[in-house]
Amino acid sequence: MRDAESDVVAMQAGVTEVLARFRQWLRSVGELRLQERSRASLRLVDEYVSLLVENGFRRAVADMKALPRGEPWLQLRKGLMEAVLREESYRKEHRLRSVLSPTGDNEEYIQRLGMLKKFCMNVLFLSSRRRQKRQGWEEVLFALAAGIAMAFATAVALWAQIRFTQVSLNFFLIAVVGYMMKDRIKEGLRRVLSRVAATHLSDRTADLVDPVTGRTIGTCEERVDYAPKVPDSVASLRHQDDFLTVSQGELTETVIRYQKHIILDARLLPRTERGLSGVTDILRFNVERFLRDMDEPELALEYVDLADLSVGHIRGAKRYPVDVVLRFTVEEEETDRRQESTQLVRLVLDRNGIQRMLRFADTAAGAPPGPMPWQSAA
């Protein structure tokens, strides 16, 4: 018992000292001129360290529920819970939103904890870098297959010609190698042209027809691909908090780009008494495939009541954010006018579907992420 008591006291003292030294270093770094990305990264690391300490102490109190409720265990539990409350107060003071709520669903707490773990712990995991070794061997095998096919065709041709004229072995080998090179050049050009076609040609094209007159008033072209790079104007919209500021480029994200190009002849559009009418385009976004690999929508979180140090469970909601950026560009050929608007909409999903939708302001700079943890929040 004495050994366990001394281990708990030593653990709490050691963690407290490490926290103090870490935050002292943060204060010294805060005096330097850092880029906003670096400042946001330090805020996230500080938040994750605070959560690690809090969860560790909270779990220790929960594991001590089978021990006697008298001394010295009562004071040890109270000391650990005081440390938990200090960390909660620290995050509240610095406007960090990862605080447990006994009555809420704690969706944001779980989401931030998962994102913080991915961001802060990714340096401890091995990263995979793909190499095109298989593609090189495939090219060799394809060339050999083309050579074998050409050898068969040439052998048949030689057998037919040998009765009428003489053909040398050198001609045979040159013909085979030439066909091998011809086949690979053909396949290489096919891949290159396929990428060019995917960039400049649409996946689906439709004509817009006036049902009354039967005349074609415009065309609609659609294209879907995986965007290799997000434009800066779109990326700036997601600078709403520290997560989105530092995660772009640091954490793996899948970006699906859907493009729709509509060309309208304004002279052929139906007109009303109020003037020229437009065209309403309805886009249906199916999120069903996103829901297949999601975790259970609700889980239980351990919670220690400070009043009697009893261990219970509170509700936690596991949800996933999906950012949808809508960018509309309108060009008028006659006046050479170009107008562009961009809007960010966040879908919050769980296994049951869309739970809510959040709209963000159309701004290039985004909302400021808040003060540094070692600075005043005023």
Side-chain angles (χ1 to χ4, degrees), residues 216-276:
T216 300
I217 62 176
T219 59
C220 176
E221 299 179 352
E222 297 175 273
R223 185 185 301 119
V224 180
D225 61 358
Y226 290 98
K229 184 180 184 300
V230 178
D232 294 337
S233 60
V234 174
S236 62
L237 287 176
R238 303 184 65 215
H239 292 173
Q240 301 291 336
D241 57 20
D242 293 341
F243 272 135
L244 297 178
T245 300
V246 303
S247 63
Q248 299 184 70
E250 294 289 341
L251 301 180
T252 302
E253 290 185 309
T254 300
V255 180
I256 302 175
R257 179 174 57 184
Y258 171 75
Q259 296 174 291
K260 179 177 286 188
H261 186 206
I262 300 176
I263 301 176
L264 295 175
D265 190 343
R267 297 170 298 180
L268 302 178
L269 287 176
R271 297 178 179 271
T272 63
E273 296 180 355
R274 298 181 179 179
L276 185 65

Side-chain angles (χ1 to χ4, degrees), residues 311-356:
V311 179
H313 293 87
I314 60 176
R315 177 172 172 260
K318 182 66 173 178
R319 293 170 184 166
Y320 302 82
V322 175
D323 288 344
V324 179
V325 178
L326 305 175
R327 182 169 64 172
F328 301 95
T329 303
V330 179
E331 296 181 357
E332 297 181 8
E333 184 177 354
E334 296 180 355
T335 60
D336 292 333
R337 290 180 54 190
R338 177 186 174 92
Q339 183 178 0
E340 182 174 312
S341 62
T342 310
Q343 183 178 8
L344 173 62
V345 178
R346 177 169 301 164
L347 303 178
V348 181
L349 313 176
D350 64 10
R351 184 176 289 186
N352 297 324
I354 300 177
Q355 298 302 311
R356 65 179 182 274

Side-chain angles (χ1 to χ4, degrees), residues 13-29 46 49:
V15 170
T16 303
E17 181 181 358
V18 170
L19 266 181
R21 295 176 61 183
F22 173 70
R23 286 167 181 165
Q24 182 180 3
W25 175 80
L26 281 181
R27 287 190 292 270
S28 62
V29 173
D46 185 48
V49 170

Side-chain angles (χ1 to χ4, degrees), residues 37 88 131 176 217 227 342:
R37 187 184 184 90
E88 284 188 353
R131 300 176 57 186
V176 172
I217 62 176
T342 310

